Amino acid sequence: MNVKPDFSKGHNLAETAPAFLSIWNMESYYGESYIVQNISFNVHEGEILALLGRNGAGKTSTLRSIARMDSPQVTHGEIWLDHQPLHLMKSHEAAAAGIGLVPEDRCIIPGLTVEENLQLAQIAPPIGWSLDRLYELFPRLGERRKQEGVTLSGGEQQMLAIARALARDIKVLLLDEPYEGLAPVIVDEIEKTLRIIKEQGITTILVEQNAVRALELADRSVILDTGGIVFDGSANEVLSNEELRAEYLAI
Amino acid sequence: MGILEVKDVGKRFGGLQALSDVNLSVKENSVHAIIGPNGAGKSTLLNCLVGKLIPDTGSVMFDGQSVLGRTPYEINQMGISRVFQTPEIFGDLTVMENMMIPCFAKRDGAFRMHAIENMMAEKDIVEKAEAMLVDMNMADKKDMHSASMSRGDKRRLEIGMCLAQEPRLLLLDEPTAGMARADTNNTIDLLKQISDEREITIAIIEHDMHVVFSLANRITVLAQGTPLVEDDPENIRGNPKVREAYLGETA
Amino acid sequence: YTNEPTGSSVTLGFNVPQTGPYADEGADELRAYELAVEHLNGGGDGGMMNTFSSKALSGNGILGKKVEFVTGDTQTKSDAARASAKSMIEKDGAVMITGGSSSGVAIAVQGLCQEAGVIFMAGLTHSNDTTGKDKKANGFRHFFNGYMSGAALAPVLKNLYGTDRNAYHLTADYTWGWTQEESIAAATEAMGWKTVNKVRTPLAATDFSSYIAPVLNSGADVLVLNHYGGNMVNSLTNAVQFGLRDKVVNGKNFEIVVPLYSRLMAKGAGENVKGIHGSTNWHWSLQDDASKAFVKSFGTKYGFPPSQAAHTVYCQTLLYADACERAGTFNPCGVVEALEGFEFDGLGNGPTLYRAEDHQCFKDVLVVRGKENPTSEFDLLEVVEVTPAAQVTYAPDHPMFAGGNLGTCNPGA
Amino acid sequence: MLGLNKKDTSLMIVVAILALFAPFILNPFPEGSAMAQFNAGYPDLMQRFVIFGIFAIGFNILFGLTGYLSFGHAAFLGIGSYSVVWMYKLLDYNVIWGLPLAIITSGLFALLIGYVSLRRSGIYFSILTLAFAQMSFNLAYSVLTPITNGETGLQVYTDDAQVLLGANEATSPHLFGIVMNSSAKLDLGPWSFTFNNGYYFCAIILLLVFYLAIRIFRSPFGMMLRAIKSNQTRLNYTGLNPRPYALAAFVISGMYAGLAGGLMAAMDPLAGAERMQWTASGEVVLMTILGGTGTLIGPVLGAGFIKYFENIFSKINDNILHQWFAFLPDGLEDFVVFIIHPFIGKGWHLTLGILFMLVVIFLPGGLVEGGQRIKRALSRKKDADAAKTEPAE
Amino acid sequence: MDAIILQILNGLDKGSAYALIALGLTLIFGTLGVVNFAHGALFMIGAFCAVTLSKILNLSFETIDPTKTDFLGNPLKVKTPYVMEWFGPETGAAIIDWAVPLAILFSIPIMIAVGFIMERGLIKHFYKRAHADQILVTFGLAIVLQEVVKYFFGANPIPTGAPDAFKGSFDFGVLLGYDPNVIIYPYWRMVYFFFAALVIGGVFAFLQFTTFGMVVRAGMADRETVGLLGINIDKRFTIMFGIAAAVAGIAGVMYAPINSPNYHMGMDFLVLSFVVVVVGGMGSLPGAVLAGFLLGILESFASMNQIKSLIPGIDQIIIYVVAIIILLTRPRGLMGRKGVMEE
Ligand SMILES: Nc1ncnc2c1ncn2[C@@H]1O[C@H](COP(=O)(O)OP(=O)(O)OP(=O)(O)O)[C@@H](O)[C@H]1O
Ligand SMILES: Nc1ncnc2c1ncn2[C@@H]1O[C@H](COP(=O)(O)OP(=O)(O)OP(=O)(O)O)[C@@H](O)[C@H]1O
Ligand SMILES: [Mg+2]
Ligand SMILES: [Mg+2]
């Protein structure tokens, strides 16, 4: 079932892309299982998009596809970021093009200290926030800078993962369940941070189980179910649409 | 006298006093929640209970016996089961096999040489595992390779595996983190049911206050390695110290 | 008897190392076998068939049957060698197995042939045990052995280095090494040398520096390297590296002796062999008619002179064929009878005896020295002395060879 | 049947048929034909297939199930062989004394080595086992010569005790008078088939231990072993002690190796030290991976594959090549022989190395995966055929 | 005492060979996590670079010397190397004499190329595969490389001498006040020791003072995440492989005069080098170097007659005994990092 990417249908999105980040007919596979099923959506510059859905709906897979990770394998479709064809890139090229993914299991690198984890992010250009500025935003990390990253508590790891993304000069921040495992006070704080990030002009896609919280923050929302898009519209619309909330978000 | 008595436990990591003077008593058949800011030492405390870490000072008694100095499997055989913060399951095995292993552990103890018997011919085990899968709402995933499940499903499986052991004390480290709202609600129901019907004592670490307040009969708030307060849920909710250190405005 | 040839041809099994460290030696053996088969079947110039004192062979195969052969790889491992020999016997119907380049393999295959009821003509095997405690009625050895090396070398060493010498032995730590060490020590002690130390080195050793470094300080003035193959190449190279040969100890020049030499090893050790003495079974520079005939026919076919291994296995093939002819049968018992006590000449080492008591061959042994100014890449050794057979002959019950039992010939099924 | 499910039963039957009819299956080419070179149906090689199959099956119980990669299993093989030959020397040539002893001594050694080595996991475990085996090899080759007869290998001499040796008893290995190296021959036209007592003795043992392996794979014990490979943390926190399970697997696989070593000596009364060398340990690792780690039949296939190359390819020489290609014009014949020459005879290692690489690159699951692919391709074709025929109905 | 000094010298030298091989192996095996059974073959190829260069320098034309005959009685063909013809006999001879040191320059590009090709063509596809698969494929590769060398150079060792300037040995004993000839040490082995120290230092400096080492370590622990940080880890792995191959290769070049190169010398070193790396601890370069010297020195001590007479055969097994003791007392070898190939 190894479908070769087929870009022949030629919407030349490079010029006509309607938005900052455009996903067009994207399909991805884990081995032979078809996970992301032909989805298209746009994200505008500077906005926060909430990507919602049940467990297993395909949110993580979508983010990983956009970041051009090896799995799931994108077999069809186009992804354009600011006129750059992400679908033709490998993950490190996509990262250089401005994608910053905070993965759901944080992926702090074993064997490296907190500071080294951050330094690692600043090896390849473009470089973003300075370490000092990051420690200012997350003082806890500053205190723990010599500790091995993986021995941090869950919440601290989450901060490190976000800081690591910001250490690079990114255009789009992909956040996979950033609130998971965080104390309510910290969630508040991260939310504040996200607003600061937004003010910096960074576009964000936020995947979150706590839909209400996410929607309050987001401008727009896309809801996934079994690998397909079931809703694409403004965040307020979701909050006001009882049916949608009950069916796909159980809220 | 509770089923679990933690006395004066302290634990140091290098320059960091992760736990100090922790005293905790968990009553039989209660649901005891441990909450606290990130890095407060909750997981560390849990690790001291299950033999992963050995505390520097203090004692941990389970049902009148000390757990200190015992290996994890011995402690488990005493009746303490644990669910991890990131799911630990047998990824190479099917869901059914994952569920059968704790059933064997319950029946046969830490080691038994049953090299010739047919696994599937062990009727009692198979039935028990199947029943457990039905309880966990996973019967349809029975033959699935457990590594390729979504994370929510993995966590549910892990909880099921712990329950299959019929432990006397179940330790849960953020069981609903990353779980969709609907499943979170299911899990709450399940845990309620467990504590009511199976007479299992539960100690739970959780940041989702919805879960905490739905389940707990008793709450300990840990901050910077020491218990801040221990009280009934209603009192905790109103406690200004707790609000400031942990809950923030949202709760 | 086992594998009695019924058709118009007879199959011989050439079992040589084709992989592993001795592969080149094995390749040279194979060349010689092919040459022998060619000559037996009447091809080529006949080689040593023309000089061989027995005239039973006429170039029409053996007993009128065309000679065919199968080859196999011993890998210089007993197990692999036995497996290969068995396949020749069980699958290809070989009536005779020959070849090999180590004593362990020779003894293992000899035992197998005894059980299976075929003749074994051992290739390169220098351990006393092959015709000593492990001798078998179905097996014959054309090669000389450790005792004979010692007996041949001792007088030459005495002439060269005198009777007042202190020898230090480095010995490969397995059976062959031990028997050679015992033989050489006995022979040199008999002429007055003292043995300062006998040090065993692991078979797997590649770097001998830590064994060689203490030699000078031990008061020894002669180093005897009871090593073969890669071990010998490395230990000699290391010894020369340490400059042992430039030293003067006890007022005498320090000397190194390598009791068992082969041209391939000399080639591996390169310049380091220059001026170093040892013994060898045969060398292409011998000027008797038989040797010349063999060198010519081998050299013409392959473009370089044969090694002692090639010579040995060529002779054995002819001898086996000749024995069959004389016995009028391929039956191993007939062949054994024909070979036991057989005396002949014209195969390159002078008058030769296949002794009945232990199936060891007695002939002249060469003492050679690494050549100072070689004229070509083959011209590495020069013959210093041809020790007559009588001087290397020993009693069949000599203690170094005691303990074995030849048994009786086994014709097999 | 016999407590196996349908799939396993049919696998067992297939293996039984293959084993019992091997003398036919392995000798497909008529005697004297050019292809006869590829026949493998002679006693020694058939015995080797089976014996190394047993070795690899046992190894796979450890490696395939628990993931513990031992690099020292050859030690047990050697110990098994020495045990059997010592019984020949002390009692008599009946293999009934030696084989159980081989299993017991190798089991004891495995217990000892496993107990120590299993304190570590991963590569550290591998190196510990390697170190023990290499120590055994080095000692057996030299210092322990009184027990092992060193380089020459342990064998029976006429002056050995052999206290049970009867007057008319066979002087080669036998089982109550059934002499291992005697064979019956069957000639069918140009074909010739050999039925060897020793082979059938080994084959029956193979079937027994293969059956045992299936039972182990399907047992709760087998599942625990797979759980060890999958996640030891979880196993610990599920109240199970991984150590005795792994040790039991180690001992069982050591006993398999001991049995295999014992059988080698039962077929051929000689035990050499090089059986314990790391290359021998490495060989069984390669056999298992090549065949398909963790599969039941894979290791047997892998063992057959390697032994086939070792024994058949190494024997092809230029002469044979010239015979094969004699039909070609002379120049072309020489050219073809020149091209093939590096891969046969003394180049059989090269062919083997290339095949290792090809198999592992293209068949990540080993030879078994190759088989599965063929099967799938066939069934897909069948499906396609079925689909084609459907509209016609 | 003199005997001890002597064995320490020997041990340092043996150790530098072990350390160099283990260093290269650790870069691939301990750091990239690829079980590279072909590492010995790289060492061997290095040695054969020296052989090849010396063969190239010895390329000759033939003239007939009618006064002498060859073994068949024909007039002898005398070979004169071209370099002697071109540069005059003396300079020519000097160039040939210095073949081994020259071979270092010759081998580095070759080895780096071999490493690149190996990684790009083969190993790349095996990072995510099971260690067992890596063993099989690299073992296959090792056999193939070895057989190719055997095909062209034969199975016999090929003598490849050090320059004449380094022949003979240096008398340390005299320096320390002992009698002459008590503690002697070959010049070339001293060169080898200093060379090894230089290479080891160079590799350490490269990995320590650049972020390269950290990136590769991180990449090995979690390739995906490192890719997310914009780092092209594949490229760095390839470079790492090239470096490792070059280290193995020049270790082989310099080793050629110590022991004549043969096609299976890699396999002879293979087991030992794995033992050294693991005893040093997976993933630790200093560990590998330390273990190399430690085992080298202990091996030398074990070969002393005094010790051998106490424990017969100890020199046969010392390495393994030490390995077992170290691995049982230190779970991750001397300086191993947690989690590297522990499963
Ligand atoms: N490595 C994998 N191999 C095969 N299937 C996978 C793999 N990872 C995920 N899947 C499947 O892909 C589907 C989508 O998974 P994904 O992780 O994208 O969901 P999600 O929306 O992020 O869910 P969650 O909220 O639980 O994180 C699930 O059905 C899951 O079983
Ligand atoms: N192995 C270790 N070495 C050093 N420090 C550690 C180690 N394990 C934990 N810590 C530190 O101890 C503190 C307590 O960690 P712990 O994981 O118990 O927190 P927690 O209460 O579970 O937090 P969270 O809710 O974020 O999971 C943290 O600051 C953490 O960085
Ligand atoms: Mg997800
Ligand atoms: Mg925690």
Side-chain angles (χ1 to χ4, degrees), chain B residues 2-192:
Chain B
I3 186 167
L4 181 74
E5 292 286 340
V6 177
K7 284 232 163 56
D8 301 326
V9 162
K11 177 79 196 169
R12 216 179 159 76
F13 293 117
L16 176 81
Q17 188 72 38
L19 293 177
S20 50
D21 300 328
V22 178
N23 286 291
L24 186 72
S25 167
V26 177
K27 281 210 191 59
E28 191 144 14
N29 293 341
S30 67
V31 178
H32 195 120
I34 301 167
I35 61 175
N38 293 113
K42 305 181 293 294
S43 299
T44 306
L45 176 61
L46 215 66
N47 286 338
C48 291
L49 305 184
V50 295
K52 188 171 179 189
L53 292 176
I54 299 168
D56 304 330
T57 58
S59 68
V60 179
M61 305 290 280
F62 175 70
D63 201 17
Q65 284 178 295
S66 171
V67 306
L68 298 186
R70 292 178 199 252
T71 59
Y73 70 87
E74 285 168 342
I75 295 173
N76 180 282
Q77 288 285 351
M78 290 167 74
I80 303 182
S81 277
R82 151 170 207 190
V83 178
F84 284 81
Q85 199 163 353
T86 39
E88 294 273 6
I89 53 172
F90 302 111
D92 297 339
L93 273 51
T94 66
V95 171
M96 179 66 182
E97 287 170 334
N98 265 282
M99 200 52 100
M100 286 172 74
I101 287 179
C103 299
F104 276 114
K106 175 72 190 169
R107 195 189 72 183
D108 300 335
F111 173 70
R112 182 177 151 193
M113 191 72 195
H114 28 27
I116 302 297
E117 297 89 335
N118 187 336
M119 180 172 83
M120 286 303 168
E122 311 258 347
K123 283 280 173 306
D124 52 331
I125 302 279
V126 171
E127 275 165 23
K128 187 171 163 193
E130 276 173 346
M132 201 63 225
L133 285 177
V134 171
D135 283 356
M136 297 310 294
N137 213 353
M138 304 189 84
D140 53 329
K141 300 202 167 73
K142 192 174 147 195
D143 294 319
M144 206 166 156
H145 193 67
S146 65
S148 59
M149 292 197 300
S150 84
R151 208 154 49 119
D153 287 340
K154 285 183 187 161
R155 167 142 303 127
R156 255 190 312 159
L157 175 62
E158 197 185 6
I159 296 176
M161 287 165 68
C162 288
L163 291 180
Q165 285 197 284
E166 299 162 27
R168 299 189 47 208
L169 173 63
L170 180 62
L171 304 175
L172 299 146
D173 199 348
E174 305 189 32
T176 67
M179 233 186 233
R181 179 59 51 177
D183 286 324
T184 304
N185 290 338
N186 289 340
T187 309
I188 292 173
D189 294 342
L190 177 77
L191 291 176
K192 263 204 184 114

Side-chain angles (χ1 to χ4, degrees), chain D residues 307-326:
Chain D
K307 286 293 148 193
Y308 187 84
F309 271 88
E310 180 175 347
N311 286 280
I312 301 292
F313 263 66
S314 67
K315 283 185 65 190
I316 303 176
N317 53 37
D318 282 3
N319 262 17
I320 296 174
L321 284 187
H322 278 291
Q323 278 168 28
W324 287 350
F325 298 105

Side-chain angles (χ1 to χ4, degrees), chain C residues 173 200 206 211 241-242 264, chain E residues 156 169 257 259 308 315-316:
Chain C
D173 197 0
R200 304 279 160 90
T206 51
Y211 298 95
Q241 234 164 46
F242 268 82
L264 284 165
Chain E
N156 217 37
S169 53
N259 279 326
K308 281 183 65 155
D315 51 339
Q316 309 250 11

Side-chain angles (χ1 to χ4, degrees), chain D residues 117-324:
Chain D
S117 305
L118 282 165
R119 299 176 161 270
R120 300 287 171 260
S121 60
I123 190 72
Y124 297 102
F125 167 83
S126 303
I127 295 294
L128 279 172
T129 51
L130 174 79
F132 279 114
Q134 280 294 86
M135 263 167 63
S136 316
F137 163 69
N138 285 342
L139 293 178
Y141 209 89
S142 61
V143 180
L144 295 180
T145 296
I147 304 175
T148 60
N149 206 21
E151 179 213 15
T152 312
L154 193 63
Q155 44 185 315
V156 185
Y157 293 105
T158 39
D159 52 2
D160 283 328
Q162 300 205 290
V163 292
L164 294 182
L165 192 70
N168 298 325
E169 201 181 316
T171 50
S172 71
H174 64 88
L175 177 71
F176 299 113
I178 306 172
V179 176
M180 292 299 166
N181 63 15
S182 70
S183 312
K185 266 202 192 297
L186 171 71
D187 289 312
L188 282 179
W191 279 274
S192 168
F193 303 107
T194 313
F195 305 93
N196 171 262
N197 288 345
Y199 169 70
Y200 277 102
F201 178 67
C202 293
I204 288 167
I205 291 184
L206 170 82
L207 293 178
L208 286 176
V209 300
F210 187 69
Y211 172 73
L212 189 67
I214 301 186
R215 293 299 297 251
I216 290 176
F217 266 61
R218 304 295 177 234
S219 71
F221 174 71
M223 182 170 67
M224 296 308 174
L225 299 183
R226 281 185 292 137
I228 289 179
K229 182 178 185 176
S230 185
N231 190 338
Q232 285 214 32
T233 312
R234 194 8 103 199
L235 203 64
N236 259 312
Y237 289 99
T238 308
L240 291 159
N241 185 357
R243 192 78 74 74
Y245 282 103
L247 184 59
F250 193 89
V251 172
I252 291 174
S253 75
M255 287 159 90
Y256 267 75
L259 173 65
L263 284 173
M264 284 171 87
M267 298 300 107
D268 185 1
L270 173 107
E274 69 227 8
R275 251 168 230 183
M276 305 171 106
Q277 209 179 356
W278 76 269
T279 43
S281 299
E283 195 177 56
V284 74
V285 176
L286 296 177
M287 286 171 177
T288 309
I289 307 170
L290 190 70
T293 315
T295 61
L296 278 162
I297 189 77
V300 185
L301 296 180
F305 188 93
I306 291 183
K307 286 293 148 193
Y308 187 84
F309 271 88
E310 180 175 347
N311 286 280
I312 301 292
F313 263 66
S314 67
K315 283 185 65 190
I316 303 176
N317 53 37
D318 282 3
N319 262 17
I320 296 174
L321 284 187
H322 278 291
Q323 278 168 28
W324 287 350

Side-chain angles (χ1 to χ4, degrees), chain C residues 10-186:
Chain C
V10 54
T11 306
L12 309 182
F14 300 149
N15 203 15
V16 303
Q18 301 198 44
T19 56
Y22 297 117
D24 281 1
E25 207 150 66
D28 221 37
E29 289 183 9
L30 265 192
R31 290 186 198 105
Y33 281 129
E34 285 183 30
L35 189 69
V37 169
E38 187 182 321
H39 291 169
L40 287 175
N41 285 335
D45 60 6
M48 282 203 276
M49 263 165 62
N50 305 320
T51 58
F52 189 18
S53 60
S54 168
K55 295 296 171 201
L57 292 167
S58 52
N60 63 345
I62 309 176
L63 294 172
K65 294 185 193 291
K66 185 168 178 266
V67 180
E68 291 186 344
F69 65 92
V70 289
T71 58
D73 181 10
T74 66
Q75 304 178 38
T76 321
K77 293 179 184 164
S78 319
D79 266 344
R82 269 171 92 111
S84 175
K86 276 186 169 185
S87 96
M88 293 171 172
I89 297 168
E90 292 173 358
K91 183 181 172 194
D92 308 307
V95 288
M96 183 271 267
I97 304 291
T98 170
S101 69
S102 83
S103 294
V105 164
I107 290 168
V109 178
Q110 179 163 280
L112 173 79
C113 291
Q114 179 73 30
E115 283 157 30
V118 298
I119 291 290
F120 177 63
M121 304 294 280
L124 245 61
T125 157
H126 186 251
S127 167
N128 292 347
D129 291 350
T130 313
T131 47
K133 82 177 182 16
D134 288 309
K135 56 181 168 274
K136 290 275 154 47
N138 282 25
F140 290 89
R141 163 154 74 176
H142 190 78
F143 209 65
F144 69 145
N145 58 35
Y147 175 88
M148 295 157 101
S149 284
L153 269 172
V156 177
L157 296 179
K158 183 172 157 187
N159 283 343
L160 286 166
Y161 308 139
T163 51
D164 180 24
R165 281 279 183 170
N166 295 312
Y168 192 106
H169 285 256
L170 284 183
T171 304
D173 197 0
Y174 59 91
T175 6
W176 166 75
W178 305 339
T179 68
Q180 175 166 309
E181 176 192 274
E182 187 188 14
S183 305
I184 305 292

Side-chain angles (χ1 to χ4, degrees), chain C residues 56-350:
Chain C
L57 292 167
S58 52
N60 63 345
I62 309 176
L63 294 172
K65 294 185 193 291
K66 185 168 178 266
V67 180
E68 291 186 344
F69 65 92
V70 289
T71 58
D73 181 10
T74 66
Q75 304 178 38
T76 321
K77 293 179 184 164
S78 319
D79 266 344
R82 269 171 92 111
S84 175
K86 276 186 169 185
S87 96
M88 293 171 172
I89 297 168
E90 292 173 358
K91 183 181 172 194
D92 308 307
V95 288
M96 183 271 267
I97 304 291
T98 170
S101 69
S102 83
S103 294
V105 164
I107 290 168
V109 178
Q110 179 163 280
L112 173 79
C113 291
Q114 179 73 30
E115 283 157 30
V118 298
I119 291 290
F120 177 63
M121 304 294 280
L124 245 61
T125 157
H126 186 251
S127 167
N128 292 347
D129 291 350
T130 313
T131 47
K133 82 177 182 16
D134 288 309
K135 56 181 168 274
K136 290 275 154 47
N138 282 25
F140 290 89
R141 163 154 74 176
H142 190 78
F143 209 65
F144 69 145
N145 58 35
Y147 175 88
M148 295 157 101
S149 284
L153 269 172
V156 177
L157 296 179
K158 183 172 157 187
N159 283 343
L160 286 166
Y161 308 139
T163 51
D164 180 24
R165 281 279 183 170
N166 295 312
Y168 192 106
H169 285 256
L170 284 183
T171 304
D173 197 0
Y174 59 91
T175 6
W176 166 75
W178 305 339
T179 68
Q180 175 166 309
E181 176 192 274
E182 187 188 14
S183 305
I184 305 292
T188 51
E189 282 166 15
M191 65 188 195
W193 286 21
K194 280 192 272 308
T195 304
V196 179
N197 212 338
K198 295 174 175 175
V199 175
R200 304 279 160 90
T201 63
L203 171 77
T206 51
D207 186 349
F208 291 85
S209 59
S210 53
Y211 298 95
I212 286 175
V215 171
L216 269 187
N217 199 24
S218 67
D221 44 30
V222 174
L223 173 63
V224 180
L225 296 174
N226 297 306
H227 286 143
Y228 189 68
N231 274 347
M232 175 262 166
V233 169
N234 290 345
S235 63
L236 179 59
T237 307
N238 292 168
V240 174
Q241 234 164 46
F242 268 82
L244 294 192
R245 303 207 49 219
D246 316 329
K247 302 287 175 188
V248 174
V249 181
N250 309 333
K252 292 168 225 127
N253 277 332
F254 194 95
E255 301 293 346
I256 301 175
V257 178
V258 177
L260 177 59
Y261 245 137
S262 85
R263 194 189 76 219
L264 284 165
M265 277 155 46
K267 193 173 157 198
E271 299 201 325
N272 303 315
V273 298
K274 285 184 181 174
I276 288 181
H277 287 81
S279 65
T280 194
N281 197 45
W282 179 83
H283 192 255
W284 60 266
S285 62
L286 285 176
Q287 287 304 313
D288 60 293
D289 291 343
S291 300
K292 273 169 30 191
F294 178 54
V295 172
K296 177 159 173 286
S297 99
F298 189 98
T300 316
K301 184 161 180 174
Y302 299 110
F304 45 84
S307 62
Q308 64 169 349
H311 169 259
T312 302
V313 302
Y314 178 89
C315 291
Q316 283 177 315
T317 316
L318 290 197
L319 279 163
Y320 171 79
D322 176 71
C324 291
E325 290 281 357
R326 287 186 292 115
T329 174
F330 290 100
N331 187 323
C333 285
V335 176
V336 168
E337 205 185 311
L339 279 173
E340 282 185 346
F342 181 45
E343 288 183 63
F344 59 90
D345 197 353
L347 287 184
N349 290 99

